[in-house]
Amino acid sequence: MHALYVLSVWLHILAVVVWVGGMMFLGVVLVPALRRPEHRSLYPSVIQVVGTRFRWVGWVALGLLVASGLLNLSYRVGWSGIVSAQLWRGDFGLALAIKLGLVAVILLLSAAHDFAIGPRAGALMRADPASRRAMRMRRLASWMGRGNLLLALAVVALGVIMVRGWP
């Protein structure tokens, strides 16, 4: 059983690395590079291709995070402990509750970004990159992505708190 727990924790960490690392790469490396004047014409098509590809990678990572997170929690407190009121009373439970709340927000924001706002912004950018509507949707998609990254970093910090305690 311990080997399965170690594998689950490893998958959880790997999924975080892929998901958060991918978001950081997009926001810190790819988008700024494409905003340079000499690459601006490539922006709509590259963002559409990379965004579509990363969307599925991201959702697989999110699915692994939810599944491995539940499994990891069951190893720590047992399946019956997950529904126990005792779990939610201590520092671990507080960190877990905040983490789960943020995960719910992340899932909602990700769905809105990936399946509504992002594709709409991409279509508008491909049709007329200079239009006010395209710029507004691109900015909204960009801020949603940044917000999700910040929430994801907070969730990672809460994961550390759950294991190591509050500072």
mmCIF file of all heavy atoms in Angstrom, residues 67-90:
data_model
loop_
_atom_site.group_PDB
_atom_site.id
_atom_site.type_symbol
_atom_site.label_atom_id
_atom_site.label_comp_id
_atom_site.label_asym_id
_atom_site.label_seq_id
_atom_site.Cartn_x
_atom_site.Cartn_y
_atom_site.Cartn_z
ATOM 1 N N ALA A 67 -7.850 13.279 -8.858
ATOM 2 C CA ALA A 67 -7.850 11.847 -8.524
ATOM 3 C C ALA A 67 -6.748 11.507 -7.525
ATOM 4 O O ALA A 67 -7.001 10.840 -6.502
ATOM 5 C CB ALA A 67 -7.697 11.008 -9.792
ATOM 6 N N SER A 68 -5.528 11.965 -7.788
ATOM 7 C CA SER A 68 -4.429 11.647 -6.875
ATOM 8 C C SER A 68 -4.592 12.376 -5.546
ATOM 9 O O SER A 68 -4.219 11.852 -4.493
ATOM 10 C CB SER A 68 -3.073 11.961 -7.515
ATOM 11 O OG SER A 68 -2.953 13.341 -7.814
ATOM 12 N N GLY A 69 -5.170 13.567 -5.570
ATOM 13 C CA GLY A 69 -5.418 14.295 -4.328
ATOM 14 C C GLY A 69 -6.378 13.544 -3.421
ATOM 15 O O GLY A 69 -6.154 13.437 -2.207
ATOM 16 N N LEU A 70 -7.450 13.001 -4.012
ATOM 17 C CA LEU A 70 -8.393 12.195 -3.219
ATOM 18 C C LEU A 70 -7.717 10.939 -2.676
ATOM 19 O O LEU A 70 -7.907 10.570 -1.516
ATOM 20 C CB LEU A 70 -9.613 11.817 -4.061
ATOM 21 C CG LEU A 70 -10.632 12.916 -4.282
ATOM 22 C CD1 LEU A 70 -11.667 12.488 -5.316
ATOM 23 C CD2 LEU A 70 -11.301 13.281 -2.966
ATOM 24 N N LEU A 71 -6.929 10.302 -3.518
ATOM 25 C CA LEU A 71 -6.224 9.097 -3.086
ATOM 26 C C LEU A 71 -5.222 9.413 -1.976
ATOM 27 O O LEU A 71 -5.155 8.708 -0.964
ATOM 28 C CB LEU A 71 -5.519 8.453 -4.282
ATOM 29 C CG LEU A 71 -5.009 7.034 -4.096
ATOM 30 C CD1 LEU A 71 -6.136 6.085 -3.724
ATOM 31 C CD2 LEU A 71 -4.344 6.556 -5.372
ATOM 32 N N ASN A 72 -4.483 10.508 -2.139
ATOM 33 C CA ASN A 72 -3.515 10.910 -1.117
ATOM 34 C C ASN A 72 -4.210 11.208 0.210
ATOM 35 O O ASN A 72 -3.736 10.813 1.270
ATOM 36 C CB ASN A 72 -2.723 12.136 -1.574
ATOM 37 C CG ASN A 72 -1.867 11.868 -2.776
ATOM 38 O OD1 ASN A 72 -1.613 10.718 -3.140
ATOM 39 N ND2 ASN A 72 -1.425 12.925 -3.428
ATOM 40 N N LEU A 73 -5.331 11.907 0.129
ATOM 41 C CA LEU A 73 -6.084 12.218 1.341
ATOM 42 C C LEU A 73 -6.594 10.946 2.011
ATOM 43 O O LEU A 73 -6.543 10.816 3.234
ATOM 44 C CB LEU A 73 -7.242 13.163 1.013
ATOM 45 C CG LEU A 73 -8.036 13.704 2.187
ATOM 46 C CD1 LEU A 73 -7.130 14.477 3.149
ATOM 47 C CD2 LEU A 73 -9.160 14.592 1.681
ATOM 48 N N SER A 74 -7.050 9.993 1.201
ATOM 49 C CA SER A 74 -7.547 8.738 1.775
ATOM 50 C C SER A 74 -6.427 7.973 2.485
ATOM 51 O O SER A 74 -6.670 7.316 3.492
ATOM 52 C CB SER A 74 -8.194 7.863 0.708
ATOM 53 O OG SER A 74 -7.222 7.234 -0.099
ATOM 54 N N TYR A 75 -5.219 8.074 1.975
ATOM 55 C CA TYR A 75 -4.083 7.422 2.638
ATOM 56 C C TYR A 75 -3.755 8.096 3.959
ATOM 57 O O TYR A 75 -3.346 7.443 4.910
ATOM 58 C CB TYR A 75 -2.839 7.406 1.741
ATOM 59 C CG TYR A 75 -2.841 6.272 0.759
ATOM 60 C CD1 TYR A 75 -3.038 6.510 -0.586
ATOM 61 C CD2 TYR A 75 -2.656 4.962 1.174
ATOM 62 C CE1 TYR A 75 -3.039 5.467 -1.502
ATOM 63 C CE2 TYR A 75 -2.663 3.914 0.272
ATOM 64 C CZ TYR A 75 -2.860 4.183 -1.062
ATOM 65 O OH TYR A 75 -2.877 3.150 -1.962
ATOM 66 N N ARG A 76 -3.931 9.400 4.003
ATOM 67 C CA ARG A 76 -3.605 10.136 5.237
ATOM 68 C C ARG A 76 -4.653 9.948 6.321
ATOM 69 O O ARG A 76 -4.300 9.817 7.486
ATOM 70 C CB ARG A 76 -3.459 11.626 4.942
ATOM 71 C CG ARG A 76 -2.150 11.967 4.276
ATOM 72 C CD ARG A 76 -1.988 13.465 4.181
ATOM 73 N NE ARG A 76 -1.754 14.065 5.472
ATOM 74 C CZ ARG A 76 -0.596 14.549 5.873
ATOM 75 N NH1 ARG A 76 0.455 14.477 5.095
ATOM 76 N NH2 ARG A 76 -0.478 15.110 7.043
ATOM 77 N N VAL A 77 -5.938 9.987 5.937
ATOM 78 C CA VAL A 77 -6.996 9.980 6.966
ATOM 79 C C VAL A 77 -7.969 8.819 6.815
ATOM 80 O O VAL A 77 -8.858 8.674 7.645
ATOM 81 C CB VAL A 77 -7.769 11.320 6.972
ATOM 82 C CG1 VAL A 77 -6.839 12.483 7.243
ATOM 83 C CG2 VAL A 77 -8.551 11.527 5.694
ATOM 84 N N GLY A 78 -7.842 8.021 5.778
ATOM 85 C CA GLY A 78 -8.792 6.938 5.520
ATOM 86 C C GLY A 78 -10.040 7.470 4.834
ATOM 87 O O GLY A 78 -10.360 8.654 4.946
ATOM 88 N N TRP A 79 -10.731 6.597 4.130
ATOM 89 C CA TRP A 79 -11.932 7.022 3.401
ATOM 90 C C TRP A 79 -12.998 7.532 4.365
ATOM 91 O O TRP A 79 -13.678 8.512 4.084
ATOM 92 C CB TRP A 79 -12.480 5.895 2.533
ATOM 93 C CG TRP A 79 -11.626 5.633 1.321
ATOM 94 C CD1 TRP A 79 -10.858 4.538 1.091
ATOM 95 C CD2 TRP A 79 -11.432 6.490 0.191
ATOM 96 N NE1 TRP A 79 -10.189 4.656 -0.107
ATOM 97 C CE2 TRP A 79 -10.523 5.841 -0.682
ATOM 98 C CE3 TRP A 79 -11.922 7.743 -0.169
ATOM 99 C CZ2 TRP A 79 -10.115 6.412 -1.890
ATOM 100 C CZ3 TRP A 79 -11.503 8.306 -1.368
ATOM 101 C CH2 TRP A 79 -10.611 7.640 -2.217
ATOM 102 N N SER A 80 -13.142 6.883 5.504
ATOM 103 C CA SER A 80 -14.146 7.345 6.466
ATOM 104 C C SER A 80 -13.725 8.671 7.090
ATOM 105 O O SER A 80 -14.569 9.479 7.480
ATOM 106 C CB SER A 80 -14.376 6.295 7.547
ATOM 107 O OG SER A 80 -13.183 6.052 8.260
ATOM 108 N N GLY A 81 -12.422 8.899 7.195
ATOM 109 C CA GLY A 81 -11.929 10.148 7.765
ATOM 110 C C GLY A 81 -12.210 11.354 6.898
ATOM 111 O O GLY A 81 -12.287 12.478 7.396
ATOM 112 N N ILE A 82 -12.372 11.135 5.582
ATOM 113 C CA ILE A 82 -12.626 12.249 4.662
ATOM 114 C C ILE A 82 -13.946 12.938 4.984
ATOM 115 O O ILE A 82 -14.064 14.152 4.879
ATOM 116 C CB ILE A 82 -12.592 11.764 3.187
ATOM 117 C CG1 ILE A 82 -11.157 11.374 2.829
ATOM 118 C CG2 ILE A 82 -13.113 12.827 2.239
ATOM 119 C CD1 ILE A 82 -11.008 10.759 1.451
ATOM 120 N N VAL A 83 -14.934 12.166 5.417
ATOM 121 C CA VAL A 83 -16.243 12.748 5.726
ATOM 122 C C VAL A 83 -16.407 13.049 7.211
ATOM 123 O O VAL A 83 -17.443 13.531 7.636
ATOM 124 C CB VAL A 83 -17.387 11.840 5.231
ATOM 125 C CG1 VAL A 83 -17.386 11.752 3.724
ATOM 126 C CG2 VAL A 83 -17.294 10.462 5.855
ATOM 127 N N SER A 84 -15.374 12.793 7.981
ATOM 128 C CA SER A 84 -15.424 13.027 9.418
ATOM 129 C C SER A 84 -15.321 14.524 9.726
ATOM 130 O O SER A 84 -14.495 15.228 9.147
ATOM 131 C CB SER A 84 -14.274 12.278 10.102
ATOM 132 O OG SER A 84 -14.100 12.738 11.414
ATOM 133 N N ALA A 85 -16.126 14.978 10.647
ATOM 134 C CA ALA A 85 -16.065 16.376 11.063
ATOM 135 C C ALA A 85 -14.724 16.690 11.714
ATOM 136 O O ALA A 85 -14.249 17.830 11.662
ATOM 137 C CB ALA A 85 -17.211 16.690 12.024
ATOM 138 N N GLN A 86 -14.104 15.706 12.313
ATOM 139 C CA GLN A 86 -12.819 15.893 12.983
ATOM 140 C C GLN A 86 -11.742 16.381 12.012
ATOM 141 O O GLN A 86 -10.905 17.200 12.376
ATOM 142 C CB GLN A 86 -12.380 14.573 13.642
ATOM 143 C CG GLN A 86 -11.106 14.684 14.443
ATOM 144 C CD GLN A 86 -11.248 15.611 15.650
ATOM 145 O OE1 GLN A 86 -12.328 15.742 16.225
ATOM 146 N NE2 GLN A 86 -10.170 16.270 16.008
ATOM 147 N N LEU A 87 -11.784 15.887 10.772
ATOM 148 C CA LEU A 87 -10.783 16.273 9.774
ATOM 149 C C LEU A 87 -10.742 17.780 9.574
ATOM 150 O O LEU A 87 -9.685 18.363 9.403
ATOM 151 C CB LEU A 87 -11.082 15.574 8.434
ATOM 152 C CG LEU A 87 -10.269 16.038 7.220
ATOM 153 C CD1 LEU A 87 -8.800 15.674 7.399
ATOM 154 C CD2 LEU A 87 -10.818 15.435 5.955
ATOM 155 N N TRP A 88 -11.877 18.411 9.600
ATOM 156 C CA TRP A 88 -11.997 19.818 9.234
ATOM 157 C C TRP A 88 -11.736 20.768 10.401
ATOM 158 O O TRP A 88 -11.749 21.973 10.216
ATOM 159 C CB TRP A 88 -13.382 20.067 8.643
ATOM 160 C CG TRP A 88 -13.645 19.128 7.530
ATOM 161 C CD1 TRP A 88 -14.377 17.975 7.581
ATOM 162 C CD2 TRP A 88 -13.118 19.195 6.208
ATOM 163 N NE1 TRP A 88 -14.353 17.344 6.359
ATOM 164 C CE2 TRP A 88 -13.599 18.064 5.498
ATOM 165 C CE3 TRP A 88 -12.295 20.099 5.539
ATOM 166 C CZ2 TRP A 88 -13.270 17.835 4.171
ATOM 167 C CZ3 TRP A 88 -11.981 19.870 4.215
ATOM 168 C CH2 TRP A 88 -12.463 18.741 3.545
ATOM 169 N N ARG A 89 -11.455 20.249 11.591
ATOM 170 C CA ARG A 89 -11.303 21.097 12.781
ATOM 171 C C ARG A 89 -9.893 21.638 12.982
ATOM 172 O O ARG A 89 -9.717 22.701 13.527
ATOM 173 C CB ARG A 89 -11.746 20.328 14.017
ATOM 174 C CG ARG A 89 -13.234 20.116 14.022
ATOM 175 C CD ARG A 89 -13.729 19.718 15.392
ATOM 176 N NE ARG A 89 -15.170 19.534 15.334
ATOM 177 C CZ ARG A 89 -15.770 18.386 15.546
ATOM 178 N NH1 ARG A 89 -15.078 17.311 15.881
ATOM 179 N NH2 ARG A 89 -17.078 18.303 15.457
ATOM 180 N N GLY A 90 -8.884 20.930 12.595
ATOM 181 C CA GLY A 90 -7.501 21.344 12.862
ATOM 182 C C GLY A 90 -6.905 22.187 11.751
ATOM 183 O O GLY A 90 -7.576 22.579 10.794
#
